[in-house]
């Protein structure tokens, strides 16, 4: 039997079973009949949202992100908005970010030793679902509590702690562990790529180029170097702009704690710029740069003074909620996301 000869009810059932929005749209372009079926809003939107649920679900968590407004309490359940193309576009954006994090998960969990690399595999659909769910929840928490309204001097005030904990109490202990696992992945991305420490830069350089120095000292006159002369630093051929560290171990720790306040969309944007060279980050004066270190620092400076020396609060709030329940600490090592 030809596909075109199937009744409309069967064709609609097939469309409802497709697992990606792109596949639905592509199939609708294969014939006038399928295109006409999807041209009716009463049929198009449910089909597209069903596909989005399979591809980017859970949509309920994603909707909480795209519909969040600062004047609303994040832990108060809000009815889902009516289906619309505008809402779908926003869900596709955050969903693509969440799926990209799911793609990165194997490379951050199985890393380091040869045995880890040999064990690396793709995530199952259920595992990808957990990563996306954790991504949306970290994103929602960041929109609600990693803002200028919550400075470093208010983070321990009891009303503020209770407001943060109210959001997390709606989730099970295992789901809170999955959030810690996702935050650990964000930490790895920060430490290895976006803002590596001086020690990481030196170690990476020695692995690639041996004992070749990152910089050399050159006197402006070209004369023989003396200890009291003024020298200028020049990069060697192996020193690129992206190889600029973010301080020693102690200083770097606080930098990472600050950077963990970025929501997954912001951090992914920085990661793609540093690693893949996608996009150009503007500097404060409006100029454009390819220097990853300068661009990231300018991006952070543009967020405001509240961002610096004000570490993330998600991890400590999760521990607070888990201690309230009398449960043991969970998460943080990636195991809860995996089956």
């Amino acid at each position: 039997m030809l596909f075109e000869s199937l009744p409309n009810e069967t064709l609609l059932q097939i469309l409802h079973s497709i697992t990606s929005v792109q596949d639905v749209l592509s199939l609708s372009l294969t014939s006038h009949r399928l295109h006409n079926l999807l041209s009716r809003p009463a049929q198009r939107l449910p089909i597209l949202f069903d596909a989005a649920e399979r591809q980017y679900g859970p949509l309920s968590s994603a909707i909480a992100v795209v519909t969040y407004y600062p004047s609303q309490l994040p832990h108060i359940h809000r009815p889902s908005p009516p289906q619309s193309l505008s809402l779908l576009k926003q869900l596709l954006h955050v969903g693509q970010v969440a799926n990209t994090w799911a793609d990165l998960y194997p490379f951050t969990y199985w890393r380091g030793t040869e045995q880890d690399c040999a064990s690396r595999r793709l995530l199952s659909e259920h595992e990808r679902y957990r990563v996306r769910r954790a991504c949306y929840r970290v994103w929602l928490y960041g929109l609600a509590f990693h803002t200028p309204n919550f400075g470093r001097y208010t983070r321990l005030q009891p009303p503020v702690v209770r407001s943060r904990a109210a959001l997390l109490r709606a989730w099970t202990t295992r789901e809170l562990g999955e959030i810690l696992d996702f935050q650990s992945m964000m930490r790895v991305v920060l430490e290895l790529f976006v803002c590596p420490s001086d020690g990481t830069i030196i170690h990476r350089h020695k692995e690639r180029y041996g004992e070749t120095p990152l910089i050399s000292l050159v006197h402006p006159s070209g004369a023989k170097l003396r200890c009291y002369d003024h020298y200028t630093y020049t990069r060697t051929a192996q020193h690129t702009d992206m190889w600029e560290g973010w301080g020693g171990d102690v200083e770097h720790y606080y930098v990472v704690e600050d950077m963990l306040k970025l929501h997954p969309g912001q951090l992914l944007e920085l990661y793609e710029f540093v690693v893949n060279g996608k996009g150009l980050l503007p500097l404060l004066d409006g100029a454009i740069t390819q220097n990853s270190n300068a661009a990231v620092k300018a991006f952070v400076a543009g967020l405001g003074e509240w961002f610096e020396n004000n570490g993330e609060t998600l991890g400590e709030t999760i521990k607070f909620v888990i201690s309230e329940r009398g449960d043991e600490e969970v998460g943080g090592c990636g195991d809860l996301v995996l089956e």
Side-chain angles (χ1 to χ4, degrees):
M1 179 180 291
L2 295 176
F3 189 75
E4 285 289 326
S5 63
L6 295 174
N8 286 346
E9 293 77 9
T10 304
L11 292 178
L12 288 174
Q13 190 172 5
I14 293 173
L15 289 171
H16 273 288
S17 65
I18 296 177
T19 58
S20 103
V21 175
Q22 292 81 0
D23 290 345
V24 172
L25 298 177
S26 298
L27 184 59
S28 69
L29 298 177
T30 59
S31 72
H32 290 289
R33 186 180 174 193
L34 289 172
H35 185 270
N36 292 333
L37 282 176
L38 279 179
S39 63
R40 306 168 189 171
Q43 295 174 344
R44 178 177 65 233
L45 289 176
I47 290 173
L48 292 175
F49 271 82
D50 283 350
E53 177 65 42
R54 296 185 182 92
Q55 187 176 8
Y56 303 118
L59 286 190
S60 59
S61 298
I63 289 174
V65 173
V66 301
T67 61
Y68 174 75
Y69 195 73
S71 63
Q72 300 172 329
L73 296 176
H75 64 277
I76 300 298
H77 177 73
R78 303 187 300 274
S80 298
Q83 294 180 349
S84 66
L85 289 178
S86 175
L87 176 62
L88 181 63
K89 290 179 181 178
Q90 297 178 71
L91 294 176
L92 293 183
H93 170 69
V94 298
Q96 289 169 355
V97 171
N99 266 342
T100 302
W101 280 108
D103 294 335
L104 287 174
Y105 195 90
F107 298 96
T108 59
Y109 181 74
W110 291 288
R111 73 184 195 282
T113 65
E114 293 183 3
Q115 183 177 359
D116 289 334
C117 295
S119 301
R120 187 179 296 159
R121 60 173 176 82
L122 298 177
L123 301 184
S124 68
E125 285 302 318
H126 292 296
E127 292 168 343
R128 293 179 65 87
Y129 179 91
R130 296 191 190 107
V131 173
R132 292 195 299 266
R133 180 173 61 188
C135 176
Y136 298 142
R137 290 174 173 178
V138 170
W139 203 325
L140 177 62
Y141 183 93
L143 293 176
F145 301 112
H146 289 157
T147 67
N149 296 327
F150 298 91
R152 62 179 302 186
Y153 300 109
T154 62
R155 58 190 296 152
L156 296 180
Q157 294 179 357
V160 176
V161 175
R162 286 195 295 269
S163 65
R164 299 199 307 256
L167 174 62
L168 304 186
R169 290 191 185 106
W171 304 325
T172 67
T173 300
R174 179 184 176 89
E175 290 170 352
L176 294 178
E178 293 171 0
I179 292 174
L180 287 177
D181 289 349
F182 184 85
Q183 191 182 56
S184 296
M185 174 172 59
M186 295 177 64
R187 187 183 297 275
V188 171
V189 170
L190 284 168
E191 292 176 346
L192 295 183
F193 302 105
V194 177
C195 48
S197 66
D198 293 345
T200 299
I201 297 298
I202 294 173
H203 176 73
R204 188 179 300 167
H205 178 80
K206 288 183 177 180
E207 282 187 338
R208 296 181 181 179
Y209 303 108
E211 297 300 325
T212 303
L214 280 170
I215 57 176
S216 59
L217 291 174
V218 179
H219 189 268
S221 65
K224 184 178 179 180
L225 302 182
R226 294 171 295 179
C227 60
Y228 53 83
D229 281 332
H230 173 70
Y231 305 130
T232 59
Y233 289 94
T234 60
R235 292 183 176 88
T236 62
Q238 291 82 15
H239 188 158
T240 64
D241 284 338
M242 66 181 299
W243 287 9
E244 296 182 6
W246 288 70
D249 292 342
V250 175
E251 180 184 0
H252 181 252
Y253 169 81
Y254 290 104
V255 169
V256 172
E257 289 297 304
D258 285 345
M259 297 291 282
L260 281 173
K261 296 195 301 294
L262 297 173
H263 64 62
Q266 292 172 321
L267 182 53
L268 184 63
E269 180 183 359
L270 295 179
Y271 169 80
E272 290 184 340
F273 172 79
V274 172
V275 176
N276 301 323
K278 293 183 179 179
L280 293 171
L281 294 181
L283 290 173
L284 293 180
D285 59 0
I288 300 296
T289 180
Q290 284 283 10
N291 185 310
S292 61
N293 188 289
V296 173
K297 288 182 178 178
F299 179 85
V300 171
L303 297 176
E305 295 182 359
W306 71 274
F307 194 85
E308 297 185 17
N309 299 318
N310 181 23
E312 60 88 20
T313 58
L314 176 57
E316 65 186 40
T317 308
I318 289 178
K319 294 178 181 179
F320 173 78
V321 172
I322 292 177
S323 66
E324 279 186 329
R325 298 173 179 174
D327 296 334
E328 297 181 359
E329 292 187 8
V330 295
C333 59
D335 296 334
L336 291 182
V337 167
L338 304 178
E339 293 178 335

